[in-house]
Amino acid sequence: MKRKPRKAQKPAALEEIRKQIDAVDAQIHGLINERARLAQAVGISKHADGHTVDFYRPEREAQVLRMALERNRGPLRNEEILRLFREIMSACLAQQEPLKVGFLGPEGTFTQAAVLKHFGHSVRALPLATIDEVFHEVESGSADFGVVPIENSSEGTVNYTLDMFLTSPLRICGEVELRIHQHLMGRMDSLGLVERVCSHQQSLAQCRGWLDEYLPGAERIQAASNAEAARRARDEKGTAAIAGQAAAEVYGLNVLVTEIEDHPDNTTRFLIIGRKLFSPSGKDKTTLLVSTSHTDSPGALQRLLEPFARHKISLTRIESRPSRRRKWDYVFFLDVEGHAEDPRLVKALAKLKQRASLFRVLGSYPQAVQ
């Protein structure tokens, strides 16, 4: 028995739906323009002769994004809603001039992707060669903010970023978590033609198992960045790179194998660095730099951490680094839940400050909105 053909939707009905879409688009457009006018009014009311950086409030943006997630009932996914609202806020903020954001370049790195995820596309992204250049450009005012990697879920901390805070006056203004997909790319069209694999040391480490299995004979070469590795893959016969999709597009490379990272939840956390602290957003994190006179004495670290337990403050991360004051002496980087202005944390920090020989609040900032 022949199945009856499905009736095609009547052109008149389709045309009516399109008219409704056009009407909704007009409403959306009008509301976006109204939002831009209100955002402009907020800026003018604060600083009539200020710069865009004077109007930027990461705590307010985090609140807007969280409210958008709470309202979302589909059909768009949360990630799509976040991206849409981020771009609207980015465009509204950039009406007079875009924010200038330095990042560990060149173009095509994961750090650039973190810039766009956090600030949207209406910023002026400044690729810089090293992490210390990012810090220096923000310190001098040449960049309003900077974005630097701080840790990877499988390979741990980027120590160089931590060490910069030992001497830099900059503050942490935010964080970004970026799901990292590593791709193998090159000018060749098959794995058999790959003689060497070039990438940043973190990416090589994140793909160690895959390389051992599928390219055990290929030389592994460290590069300053994944984008630099992609440039070498473009220019050198037999060289393949491990990098993100953006690098393949920028440097015109063939993606030979996608998602070769060893861990499916491979994620990198980035810090937003700036020149001042911001107000609480309601769901924050505080990063501290602390030490004590004799870090090798019994119970030294326990005495520093005890105030957090007493005031029921969750410690989410701790890292130690050489203090550079004398050998075998250390400083500690602590991440705790809450904002430095929260009453319980105020009490804990006051007690910690009494016990520490070194005490700095590096930043209180919104937790990454996912």
Side-chain angles (χ1 to χ4, degrees):
M1 183 177 177
K2 290 185 178 180
R3 185 179 297 173
K4 291 183 179 180
R6 182 181 297 172
K7 290 184 179 180
Q9 191 170 33
K10 293 181 180 180
L14 183 58
E15 186 62 29
E16 179 58 31
I17 292 174
R18 287 174 175 166
K19 287 181 180 179
Q20 292 176 29
I21 290 174
D22 291 343
V24 170
D25 286 346
Q27 293 177 47
I28 292 172
H29 195 165
L31 290 171
I32 289 175
N33 282 336
E34 179 61 21
R35 191 193 194 284
R37 282 189 288 269
L38 291 170
Q40 191 176 49
V42 168
I44 291 171
S45 69
K46 289 180 180 177
H47 302 277
D49 59 347
H51 299 286
T52 301
V53 67
D54 299 320
F55 313 145
Y56 178 69
R57 290 293 178 270
E59 75 278 17
R60 172 60 181 160
E61 290 202 353
Q63 291 167 352
V64 171
L65 294 175
R66 290 173 194 150
M67 286 189 291
L69 290 180
E70 290 172 5
R71 289 192 304 264
N72 190 34
R73 298 294 181 269
L76 292 181
R77 295 177 297 132
N78 283 347
E79 305 93 277
E80 314 294 346
I81 292 296
L82 286 177
R83 186 162 64 248
L84 286 169
F85 273 86
R86 175 66 73 192
E87 293 298 338
I88 290 171
M89 289 189 291
S90 179
C92 289
L93 184 65
Q95 290 177 84
Q96 300 301 322
E97 60 176 356
L99 285 174
K100 297 184 290 293
V101 182
F103 69 94
L104 180 62
E107 290 188 21
T109 61
F110 289 115
T111 312
Q112 184 182 27
V115 170
L116 300 179
K117 179 177 180 180
H118 187 81
F119 289 98
H121 285 69
S122 296
V123 295
R124 183 183 170 199
L126 309 173
L128 300 166
T130 61
I131 288 174
D132 66 323
E133 280 190 47
V134 177
F135 274 79
H136 293 154
E137 289 296 290
V138 179
E139 288 173 14
S140 69
S142 298
D144 298 317
F145 296 96
V147 178
V148 290
I150 185 63
E151 63 176 326
N152 177 265
S153 58
S154 59
E155 291 303 314
T157 301
V158 181
N159 289 325
Y160 194 84
T161 297
L162 280 184
D163 291 343
M164 288 299 300
F165 286 108
L166 294 175
T167 56
S168 174
L170 293 182
R171 307 298 189 119
I172 302 171
C173 306
E175 64 175 2
V176 188
E177 291 186 6
L178 189 68
R179 176 70 175 83
I180 301 297
H181 291 298
Q182 304 280 12
H183 308 316
L184 185 74
M185 58 192 68
R187 288 167 49 196
M188 67 286 293
D189 55 13
S190 70
L191 288 181
L193 299 175
V194 176
E195 299 173 11
R196 66 197 71 85
V197 178
C198 186
S199 193
H200 188 274
Q201 60 178 0
Q202 281 266 343
S203 294
L204 288 172
Q206 291 167 26
C207 304
R208 186 184 298 114
W210 189 93
L211 291 171
D212 288 344
E213 182 173 356
Y214 294 100
L215 289 173
E219 181 184 5
R220 301 176 194 181
I221 302 173
Q222 292 186 11
S225 69
N226 290 349
E228 171 62 17
R231 184 195 63 76
R232 289 188 58 172
R234 180 195 63 188
D235 298 340
E236 299 175 5
K237 184 179 180 181
T239 297
I242 297 175
Q245 182 63 41
E249 296 169 359
V250 170
Y251 295 97
L253 300 175
N254 301 320
V255 176
L256 305 174
V257 187
T258 62
E259 299 183 16
I260 66 171
E261 61 273 10
D262 295 333
H263 301 284
D265 59 349
N266 188 33
T267 301
T268 295
R269 178 176 171 237
F270 299 84
L271 296 180
I272 313 301
I273 54 175
R275 295 184 289 274
K276 61 182 180 180
L277 294 173
F278 291 91
S279 302
S281 74
K283 189 175 182 181
D284 301 289
K285 182 182 293 184
T286 294
T287 298
L288 307 165
L289 171 59
V290 298
S291 189
T292 187
S293 299
H294 300 285
T295 57
D296 58 348
S297 63
L301 181 57
Q302 190 275 336
R303 285 193 294 274
L304 289 176
L305 299 182
E306 189 273 336
F308 298 121
R310 180 189 302 178
H311 294 282
K312 296 181 171 56
I313 304 294
S314 293
L315 180 72
T316 60
R317 184 167 175 264
I318 180 169
E319 295 284 347
S320 65
R321 294 295 296 155
S323 69
R324 301 178 182 175
R325 296 178 295 197
R326 57 184 180 273
K327 67 179 181 180
W328 318 128
D329 187 67
Y330 297 89
V331 297
F332 303 99
F333 292 87
L334 312 176
D335 284 351
V336 299
E337 290 186 353
H339 192 280
E341 295 180 8
D342 294 346
R344 280 192 304 152
L345 193 49
V346 167
K347 294 177 182 178
L349 294 183
K351 184 62 67 174
L352 171 60
K353 190 174 183 179
Q354 293 174 0
R355 302 180 181 189
S357 60
L358 170 66
F359 174 88
R360 280 181 59 202
V361 176
L362 296 181
S364 280
Y365 49 91
Q367 294 184 25
V369 182
Q370 301 292 336

